[in-house]
Amino acid sequence: MFEIRFHGRGGQGAVTAANILATAAFYEGNDVQSFPFFGVERRGAPVEAYTRIDNKKIDIKMYIYNPDAVVVLDTSLMKDLDVTRGLKKGGYLILNTQKKPSDFNYKDFKVAVVDATEVAVEFGLGSKSSPIVNTAILGAYSKAVGNVKIDSISKAIRDSAPAKAEENANAAYESYKRTVLGW
Amino acid sequence: MVMMMLKGNEATAYAAKVAKVQVIPAYPITPSTLFPEKVSELISNGEMKAEFIPVESEHSALSAAIGAAATGARTMTATASQGLALMHEVLFIASGMRLPIVMAIGNRALSAPVNIWAEQQDTIAQRDSGWLQFYAENNQEALDLSLIAFRVAEDKRVLLPAMMGMDAFVLTHTMEPVDVPDESLVEKYLGPPEQKYPTLNPSQPSTFGAFVFPEHYMEFRYSQFVAMEHSKKVIDEAFEEFKNIFGREYRKVSGFMNEDADILLISMGSMTGTAREAIRKLREKGEKVGLIKLSVFRPFPKEELVEITKNARIVAVVDRNISIGFAGAIFTELVASYNNIEKKPKILNFILGLGGRDIRVEDYIEIYNRAKEAENRGVKEIQWINVDEDAVYEVEGPL
């Protein structure tokens, strides 16, 4: 079982990212679940979403307390929020940032970075002031963790995107290429 | 069949589609809103042919459903919590008029305090309304049990409406792979949506839900009672036929690692899989524990439950509901099911997960440990799990 937690702000697409990742992993023959933090979502407010992936049937239906990977769509959240809460030792921390992995002082985690905001803007996803980075950051997830292939993520994006399917899929490929691994 | 990634609400919307439901009156309420959204979308993009009736309240939604079902149309709606509570008086009218409406419920706590999260109190509070009640463990079951609900509800030996409960958010908003069956297979299972029972018909005028004097009223009520008793057999047949056509097996009561178990847990709804995981962990440590899953609450499957629990030493009933002033509903009815049976296990009640409090593997292990204590000494019959008792005692005084 592999568990992922997404952090973002309402409107950035964290819940959709969790759904797309689950769909992509399902295409690869896994059982999956994805769900939002149960409750109400407000634009700009902190949002969490979750994905579970397993190569056998997933029985449990409870929150994810100790994720294997954490994906942060908006690193401004990290000022007030410990995004590594419960993250397993040796787990992945995937950040949307202009900084380098070595700029972050996490000894226990594998840090991967990509400027998903820049990629999203380049592909015209959302607006310049509020780009939608969810598909771009999934490219970084695939590069960093490797348990879901970028082609599957691209297919899941194309199958589910209500608009700009091609641009979203290409944004994932582009950030896959630009992702910098800190290990 | 086609595998789709669906949230629980979407799975029940697809159930409506493949069952060729003809009329859907609905009023949105968290966490059920995705159901009217999805069926509206399916209708507007031409994937589904049905009349969607937007109404001004849940009371009107079920009233419109009654009107539709009384003409013989296959009718479905969805609601939750306060919405179901607002339907309360109309529920009895639907069952009294013997209309096979199916309603998907996003099981949610009731106010006050306001809470939108998972709890089964809303449907449990309607257990006396004459509706069948099914409960889903996952989104596949939410779809399948909705179809099964139609099959049982529309059976001439039953003709009673049915609720299909799925826990708020844990199912309604969680996306999982779901096998959506072909419409042709579903038509084989349900038959075409045609008038199978006496309906409003201008060429043969009749009256439904009329005024009835004391000399006849009891016979109407006894009819419902008898029909609900008959539904027990019809449900088994519907499960069997479902397995034959779709390959997935359902039972009112099913056991997991229960054969040699000294202690049995009973669970209903979305937390059952989490309970199975706890049972596996306990079995690895050599504990003789098993799980009983309840998929139908009305009619209450007392014969099956007694049969499957009678050889256990202790039965720990987990209720995600509480009748304030007595106990959890499953516990109450299991204890009553043992009436006039001499040899019975010790039965304990554990209340947990109210208002969406997460139900974790360790909560079930805690329940097991507390149940095991009861082997050697007396313990409280009703225990609340994962609750801050001290904070409550400070205000209310100790219990």
Side-chain angles (χ1 to χ4, degrees), chain B residues 73-368:
Chain B
R74 189 169 283 162
T75 306
M76 185 167 176
T77 185
T79 192
S81 182
Q82 309 300 125
L84 184 60
L86 185 59
M87 286 179 178
H88 178 65
E89 62 157 345
V90 197
L91 293 173
F92 287 75
I93 297 173
S95 60
M97 287 170 68
R98 309 292 299 274
L99 298 171
I101 299 161
V102 170
M103 178 152 58
I105 311 289
N107 283 120
R108 167 189 150 182
L110 285 151
S111 301
V114 180
N115 179 291
I116 58 172
W117 291 274
E119 188 179 312
Q120 292 162 357
Q121 193 70 61
D122 51 0
T123 43
I124 290 297
Q126 306 297 351
R127 68 184 133 165
D128 297 339
S129 64
W131 287 56
L132 297 140
Q133 290 196 353
F134 297 87
Y135 288 84
E137 182 193 322
N138 54 43
N139 295 350
Q140 185 69 60
E141 291 196 6
L143 189 153
D144 292 349
L145 290 173
S146 297
L147 299 178
I148 289 162
F150 271 115
R151 162 106 180 198
V152 177
E154 291 177 357
D155 191 289
K156 280 201 183 82
R157 295 165 289 177
V158 180
L159 289 179
L160 288 169
M163 297 177 192
M164 199 295 301
M166 56 182 159
D167 289 327
F169 294 100
V170 188
L171 298 186
T172 60
H173 286 60
T174 293
M175 192 180 252
E176 294 178 327
V178 174
D179 174 358
V180 180
D182 290 341
E183 285 182 16
S184 58
L185 284 180
V186 176
E187 186 161 329
K188 192 175 154 199
Y189 182 64
L190 293 181
E194 63 187 14
Q195 301 185 355
K196 294 177 181 170
Y197 50 94
T199 54
L200 292 174
N201 183 345
S203 61
Q204 282 178 300
S206 54
T207 301
F208 283 75
F211 190 76
V212 167
F213 287 90
E215 60 258 45
H216 292 124
Y217 182 82
M218 272 187 81
E219 282 70 26
F220 279 94
R221 295 286 281 161
Y222 189 55
S223 291
Q224 281 183 58
F225 179 84
V226 169
M228 187 64 94
E229 286 300 310
H230 287 163
S231 77
K232 291 178 175 176
K233 181 164 173 275
V234 177
I235 291 169
D236 287 337
E237 290 171 14
F239 283 160
E240 183 66 23
E241 183 68 1
F242 192 89
K243 187 178 77 178
N244 293 340
I245 296 181
F246 304 101
R248 287 185 290 275
E249 190 170 352
Y250 290 91
R251 287 171 196 274
K252 297 188 200 109
V253 170
S254 39
F256 176 75
M257 295 187 164
N258 59 307
E259 297 283 333
D260 63 337
D262 292 331
I263 297 180
L264 284 175
L265 272 54
I266 297 185
S267 175
M268 179 170 86
S270 67
M271 61 276 208
T272 306
T274 308
R276 263 200 305 278
E277 185 64 19
I279 301 290
R280 280 190 205 102
K281 281 192 190 318
L282 288 163
R283 280 278 175 177
E284 276 169 24
K285 290 183 187 158
E287 304 292 333
K288 287 173 86 174
V289 57
L291 178 72
I292 304 303
K293 164 178 164 176
L294 201 54
S295 298
V296 181
F297 185 78
R298 275 292 175 272
F300 193 74
K302 64 177 184 183
E303 296 84 1
E304 290 92 336
L305 266 177
V306 166
E307 181 59 31
I308 207 165
T309 58
K310 67 181 184 192
N311 293 325
R313 284 216 286 273
I314 295 168
V315 177
V317 182
V318 174
D319 269 301
R320 200 173 204 170
N321 70 81
I322 175 72
S323 177
I324 307 288
F326 194 60
I330 303 171
F331 169 80
T332 304
E333 303 209 358
L334 180 66
V335 170
S337 300
Y338 270 102
N339 188 31
N340 298 327
I341 297 173
E342 266 183 37
K343 183 182 173 291
K344 63 185 85 174
K346 190 178 276 187
I347 305 175
L348 300 170
N349 195 194
F350 295 91
I351 308 297
L352 84 171
L354 304 188
R357 186 157 299 181
D358 201 22
I359 299 178
R360 306 159 301 174
V361 171
E362 53 262 45
D363 294 325
Y364 280 107
I365 290 174
E366 171 74 14
I367 287 169
Y368 173 76

Side-chain angles (χ1 to χ4, degrees), chain A residues 3-10 12-22 33-39 41 45-52 62-65 67 69-73 77 81 83 85 134 138, chain B residues 7 173-174:
Chain A
E3 298 180 317
I4 305 110
R5 183 174 71 224
F6 292 82
H7 289 276
R9 291 185 186 278
Q12 289 177 329
V15 176
T16 306
N19 291 344
I20 291 171
L21 183 62
Q33 278 175 5
S34 62
F35 48 97
F37 181 80
F38 303 150
E41 195 176 313
V47 166
E48 288 184 20
Y50 312 86
T51 304
R52 269 199 183 98
M62 52 189 268
Y63 269 128
I64 289 170
Y65 295 94
V70 169
V71 181
V72 183
L73 281 70
L77 288 164
L81 196 71
V83 296
R85 161 176 54 90
N134 56 357
L138 286 173
Chain B
K7 295 166 189 157
H173 286 60
T174 293

Side-chain angles (χ1 to χ4, degrees), chain A residues 58-107:
Chain A
I58 299 171
D59 248 357
I60 56 170
K61 292 258 188 305
M62 52 189 268
Y63 269 128
I64 289 170
Y65 295 94
N66 297 112
D68 300 278
V70 169
V71 181
V72 183
L73 281 70
D74 187 334
T75 43
S76 74
L77 288 164
M78 292 165 72
K79 284 201 289 285
D80 301 315
L81 196 71
D82 177 15
V83 296
T84 66
R85 161 176 54 90
L87 179 59
K88 281 180 189 154
K89 204 172 173 185
Y92 298 91
L93 185 59
I94 296 137
L95 306 173
N96 171 21
T97 177
Q98 297 174 332
K99 293 181 182 169
K100 300 191 296 290
S102 55
D103 294 338
F104 297 90
N105 189 25
Y106 292 115
K107 287 191 295 292

Side-chain angles (χ1 to χ4, degrees), chain A residues 112-127:
Chain A
V113 300
V114 71
D115 191 346
T117 303
E118 184 182 63
V119 174
V121 170
E122 279 175 30
F123 284 87
L125 307 173
S127 65

